Amino acid sequence: MAKKSNKNVYIVALLLLLGGLGYLLFSGLSQNSVYFLNVSEALAMPADELSNIRLFGTVADSGIEGGPGQMGVSFHLLDKNGGERFIPVRYTGVVPDTFKPGVEVIVEGGLEPASGVFGARTLMTKCPSKYQKQRDEERAAQG
Amino acid sequence: MHLFAHFCLLAAFTVSIALAGLSLYMAWTGRRTASAWSERGQLAVFALIVAASAVLTRALVARDFSFQYVAQYTDTFLPMFYTLTAFWAGQAGSFLFWALSIAACGVFYASTDHYRRLSPETRVWFWLFHSGVQAFFLYILTGPSNPFLELSPAPAQGNGLNPLLQNPGMIFHPPLLFIGYAAFTVPCCLALASWLNGEREEWLPCGRRWVLFAWMFLTAGIILGAWWSYMELGWGGYWAWDPVENSSLIPWLSATAFVHTAIIQSRRNSLHRINVFFIALTFLLCIFATYVVRSGVIDSLHAFGRSELGAPLMFFMLAGLFVALVVTFSNRAADARPLDELTSRPGLLFMAAWLFLALALVVFLGTMWPVISSMWSAKPVGLEPAFYNRVCLPLFALIAVFLVFCPWLGWKGGLRDKRMFIAVCACLVPAAAFLWFFGVKHPVALVGAVSAVVGIAGIVGLFATQKGMVGNGSMWAAYGVHVGLLLMTLGVAFSGPYKVEAEAVLNPGQSMRIGAYDVRYLDNREITTPAMACYEVRLAVTRDGKPVGELTPQRRAYRNNDNVFAEVSVIPGLGDEIYATLVGSTREGQASLKLSINPLVNWIWIGGTLMTLFPLLAFVRRKA
């Protein structure tokens, strides 16, 4: 019957789609996945595993060279959950407007094993979005 | 007033719970009299939420900073227009807006002819689901996310609205999304109620129109969001595959899949169960989107912060999924007829639905990957935007390819018009050669661009040669959306891989070159208004010595905000768009500039506008 042959064609088409999708997913997951780490987690890992990671942290008050409106900035990245230890970061592109001490940033790039400096390809400050409660928390912390 | 508004919401919550309980009791005992009560109750809930919303609006207009919400999102310098839009700028306010929209949709649906024709049993089930959803939102508003918290003593000045949100794109983006999300509630409850009651067909025509309505708003919201990030964030991009962006795309994709499988059901009387499940899935994915954005489960570029909303949203989602699955499999009615041939119009529509679902799955997986990977890895692993481009763009290109062939296939297989079909296919090769010759060598971009060009030509040909197309509103609606999508495909295929960027530091009088354009720094000036101080540089753009236009990127310092914000300037064009951001400046007038040439980027906005406007024709025709 036509019904059966139709069904088989659909099964073949579905398998082809799933195969293609599986291949794309597999290659994407193996090549485009990066560790999402906090500073403390990154410091706990061997340096050779940190060649391509996304790092979350807070900009330290001291050690900033360059800044918003300029090309490039060097700064110390603290763990956003507190603590003293930091990773020095160097970034050469355009620095976002919202970059300043104490702000949460995300950097993508890798650690240069020789110097121990994190070379950032991208620097993103967290979008100070409408839903944030950060300002209140900051005030509470200061108050 | 705080107490009054809070009381209104509490009362609305209680009424919703009572209505859901009443409906459940009636459904359980098989009586049919609950719906009249439910309609009145729904009206009362709507009136109570309107009253609460009025209190918030009044507080915003009066800038009454004793409302914590008003103090958080406005200040006295904010123009009235933006002050009003602060209604949905914050978490609690946006939930109130969403709940208001859900209640309004319920009241509106209860007044339609379609509702009056429903069987009494279906009505009881419908109100059970609808009141349940409504009660959940009112629980959020009276508990974890209360817009009516009092601040005492009231501060003299508010925090002010984030300057990034002071842009027309951002004013309309959130309410459009929320109206879209809210409008999925009615068709979802209707489909589940109808299906639970053993009906297969009755809900579909009306449900499909509701989905189309919601889809239109969701599309408009997403495209405006992309346009806002392009114009306001100053990075020249429109889509970064950030979790927050992805989360609204996922229900859009599943709704799009539904729109296609619903056509198969209405034309070919099959896929009933799949449609019920898709619509329930779409509604739940809207809740999922909110969960991703508000729960802080994923580190996103957007600092949405952790809130107490994660657990209730998660619980509601899982409970909803359980109900949806039970209801979907409760009706034993088998599909009336088997699927058509794969190479027929329903066949390709069905496959298109697969593709949309596959895309939804990929975006879902990618977004949740840091959470999923933490199951076996101590360190969360996330995915770069390159992942999405690698996996999603080929699927989108395949959808564009479908759009070239699908219109020419018959509903029962075979071709509608053999000569035209051959003509369309014959266009593919020269179009590909032409684009290749002009430098489109990226394979996915080439497939997408060729499909877009030939697909649009094909649709024009379809209307020119096929009888009955020109006078058919729903055909215009469907193909208008497809032309919009193809134009967007064209825009993405060029503006993505063929964008040219340059950064430079210039003194007045100096020039730089980007692509085929020369950019000369003319002069600068300062503009001061009560709300902000603004520094502007003027750039003259020429191509081969001929003037193209002037760019005036700015940096703005808003009162009440520590940061300085870049305001981009563009010379719009249907071919190249020249885009400039003033990154920084010195007292001596030296300017750090970031420029880019974005080819065909405006076709994304033009295509997007068509996609949001053409569905209207489907409604016009039905009323006539």
Side-chain angles (χ1 to χ4, degrees):
Chain A
M1 283 294 287
K3 181 183 174 183
K4 200 183 167 199
S5 65
N6 265 349
K7 209 167 196 172
N8 287 339
V9 175
Y10 274 97
I11 290 170
V12 170
L14 186 62
L15 286 179
L16 275 176
L17 176 72
L18 289 180
L21 187 66
Y23 167 74
L24 285 171
L25 275 175
F26 179 75
S27 67
L29 287 175
S30 54
Q31 288 177 39
N32 301 116
S33 68
V34 292
Y35 278 123
F36 280 20
L37 299 173
N38 288 322
V39 170
S40 55
E41 290 170 329
L43 284 168
M45 283 176 74
D48 56 342
E49 283 186 34
L50 303 177
S51 58
N52 188 20
I53 61 168
R54 182 184 275 203
L55 201 55
F56 299 82
T58 310
V59 179
D61 291 339
S62 58
I64 301 179
E65 286 171 39
Q70 298 175 29
M71 301 291 280
V73 64
S74 296
F75 60 96
H76 294 169
L77 192 65
L78 292 166
D79 199 283
K80 61 180 180 181
N81 300 321
E84 297 283 299
R85 301 183 66 196
F86 63 84
I87 294 179
V89 177
R90 185 170 49 231
Y91 170 69
T92 48
V94 173
V95 183
D97 288 326
T98 42
F99 180 90
K100 63 181 175 185
V103 80
E104 268 190 60
V105 295
I106 302 170
V107 285
E108 282 174 346
L111 200 68
E112 294 152 15
S115 60
V117 172
F118 189 88
R121 277 196 315 277
T122 58
L123 165 68
M124 294 167 279
T125 47
K126 279 205 168 190
C127 176
S129 165
K130 49 194 168 160
Y131 301 117
Q132 75 168 357
K133 290 187 171 170
Q134 268 181 342
R135 269 182 105 150
D136 306 353
E137 286 162 11
E138 274 170 29
R139 280 181 191 173
Q142 285 162 5
Chain B
M1 288 312 266
H2 308 81
L3 272 179
F4 170 73
H6 188 64
F7 172 77
C8 285
L9 291 181
L10 268 180
F13 176 52
T14 318
V15 174
S16 294
I17 291 271
L19 290 181
L22 178 70
S23 301
L24 186 63
Y25 175 73
M26 291 297 169
W28 198 260
T29 54
R31 282 188 253 174
R32 304 169 171 189
T33 46
S35 58
W37 277 100
S38 300
E39 286 152 32
R40 276 176 229 148
Q42 179 62 30
L43 212 55
V45 170
F46 177 61
L48 287 165
I49 301 180
V50 167
S53 307
V55 171
L56 185 64
T57 312
R58 198 201 70 91
L60 284 167
V61 171
R63 296 188 170 94
D64 182 349
F65 298 125
S66 69
F67 284 79
Q68 190 186 347
Y69 186 82
V70 177
Q72 255 175 356
Y73 297 103
T74 65
D75 59 30
T76 39
F77 307 103
L78 196 65
M80 183 51 71
F81 185 54
Y82 289 108
T83 309
L84 284 173
T85 62
F87 192 112
W88 48 73
Q91 169 158 292
S94 61
F95 264 103
L96 181 60
F97 183 79
W98 190 345
L100 180 68
S101 310
I102 290 180
C105 287
V107 169
F108 176 75
Y109 177 61
S111 71
T112 58
D113 285 341
H114 188 268
Y115 172 78
R116 276 181 222 117
R117 286 199 304 271
L118 286 183
S119 68
E121 291 86 355
T122 308
R123 277 189 216 178
V124 169
W125 285 115
F126 172 80
W127 288 115
L128 170 63
F129 294 127
H130 196 271
S131 306
V133 171
Q134 210 162 249
F136 171 73
F137 275 85
L138 288 161
Y139 156 71
I140 298 261
L141 283 167
T142 47
S145 188
N146 184 342
F148 297 108
L149 291 178
E150 192 170 358
L151 213 54
S152 177
Q157 193 47 264
N159 267 353
L161 190 66
N162 186 324
L164 290 174
L165 303 181
Q166 297 181 30
N167 171 289
M170 209 55 207
I171 295 168
F172 298 113
H173 163 71
L176 288 171
L177 282 186
F178 291 129
I179 293 173
Y181 287 169
F184 281 121
T185 316
V186 167
C188 172
C189 297
L190 176 63
L192 291 178
S194 190
W195 188 247
L196 201 55
N197 204 24
E199 301 163 354
R200 290 213 316 237
E201 293 291 342
E202 288 74 0
W203 67 276
L204 190 77
C206 179
R208 215 182 125 227
R209 247 175 297 156
W210 272 93
V211 170
L212 214 55
F213 174 80
W215 184 92
M216 208 167 75
F217 276 88
L218 201 53
T219 312
I222 292 172
I223 288 166
L224 257 181
W227 179 78
W228 168 78
S229 73
Y230 175 77
M231 287 306 285
E232 194 66 5
L233 295 185
W235 55 296
Y238 39 82
W239 196 260
W241 297 108
D242 185 75
V244 170
E245 298 171 350
N246 292 348
S247 62
S248 61
L249 184 66
I250 301 174
W252 185 87
L253 287 166
S254 83
T256 311
F258 168 82
V259 170
H260 290 88
T261 51
I263 298 174
I264 306 179
Q265 179 174 343
S266 65
R267 294 289 293 245
R268 308 294 294 155
N269 195 24
S270 51
L271 305 181
H272 304 88
R273 178 173 294 158
I274 285 177
N275 281 325
V276 173
F277 186 68
F278 274 5
I279 181 66
L281 185 70
T282 303
F283 170 72
L284 290 172
L285 287 172
C286 295
I287 306 287
F288 170 77
T290 315
Y291 171 72
V292 168
V293 174
R294 313 290 172 85
S295 70
V297 66
I298 292 155
D299 259 314
S300 147
L301 297 187
H302 303 247
F304 286 90
R306 281 166 203 280
S307 66
E308 303 91 66
L309 287 174
L313 285 170
M314 179 61 125
F315 172 78
F316 183 71
M317 236 162 26
L318 292 177
L321 189 64
F322 176 74
V323 171
L325 284 172
V326 168
V327 172
T328 311
F329 287 97
S330 68
N331 189 333
R332 293 263 157 229
D335 281 342
R337 54 189 305 284
L339 279 170
D340 297 271
E341 280 175 49
L342 191 66
T343 52
S344 65
R345 195 114 51 106
L348 276 197
L349 282 174
F350 192 45
M351 293 231 293
W354 283 357
L355 283 178
F356 283 115
L357 272 197
L359 276 162
L361 181 74
V362 170
V363 179
F364 174 84
L365 272 182
T367 309
M368 293 302 281
W369 200 247
V371 178
I372 298 168
S373 66
S374 65
M375 290 175 193
W376 61 83
S377 160
K379 312 264 186 304
V381 176
L383 298 163
E384 302 172 299
F387 164 79
Y388 297 98
N389 291 339
R390 179 196 294 261
V391 184
C392 294
L393 295 185
L395 296 179
F396 272 118
L398 199 55
I399 289 173
V401 173
F402 276 19
L403 281 174
V404 175
F405 296 110
C406 197
W408 301 101
L409 297 175
W411 280 101
K412 296 172 185 171
L415 294 171
R416 278 174 98 165
D417 186 330
K418 207 169 181 182
R419 272 184 312 172
M420 280 300 288
F421 180 75
I422 292 169
V424 167
C425 290
C427 287
L428 286 171
V429 177
F434 178 80
L435 289 166
W436 177 273
F437 179 75
F438 274 97
V440 185
K441 307 247 158 105
H442 189 286
V444 176
L446 185 66
V447 171
V450 169
S451 307
V453 172
V454 178
I456 291 170
I459 289 174
V460 172
L462 190 73
F463 274 83
T465 58
Q466 304 298 304
K467 276 184 198 148
M469 295 284 286
V470 179
N472 187 333
S474 65
M475 285 294 142
W476 277 93
Y479 285 105
V481 170
H482 288 164
V483 167
L485 181 74
L486 290 170
L487 287 175
M488 282 186 86
T489 309
L490 199 63
V492 174
F494 279 88
S495 67
Y498 300 104
K499 177 179 174 176
V500 183
E501 284 180 292
E503 293 173 355
V505 179
L506 297 181
N507 285 310
Q510 285 185 323
S511 298
M512 65 181 283
R513 191 168 175 82
I514 174 166
Y517 300 88
D518 288 301
V519 179
R520 189 177 157 80
Y521 180 3
L522 297 175
D523 53 23
N524 55 58
R525 64 181 183 138
E526 282 177 41
I527 308 160
T528 317
T529 70
M532 63 168 183
C534 161
Y535 181 84
E536 179 182 283
V537 301
R538 218 152 57 89
L539 308 166
V541 183
T542 52
R543 182 177 180 151
D544 305 326
K546 289 180 201 141
V548 177
E550 225 174 62
L551 290 163
T552 52
Q554 302 176 335
R555 287 181 71 71
R556 292 176 174 182
Y558 289 84
R559 190 190 276 268
N560 229 355
N561 195 296
D562 310 335
N563 297 320
V564 178
F565 292 87
E567 187 73 12
V568 304
S569 170
V570 296
I571 300 176
L574 293 179
D576 287 344
E577 171 149 303
I578 304 154
Y579 182 103
T581 315
L582 178 60
V583 179
S585 55
T586 63
R587 270 162 203 265
E588 295 76 40
Q590 198 178 57
S592 313
L593 293 163
K594 189 174 161 182
L595 282 99
S596 59
I597 308 289
N598 302 324
L600 305 195
V601 71
N602 279 317
W603 291 101
I604 297 177
W605 317 128
I606 295 169
T609 310
L610 296 183
M611 280 176 82
T612 43
L613 293 182
F614 266 101
L616 285 173
L617 291 175
F619 295 102
V620 172
R621 190 189 70 99
R622 308 241 174 197
K623 276 183 190 157

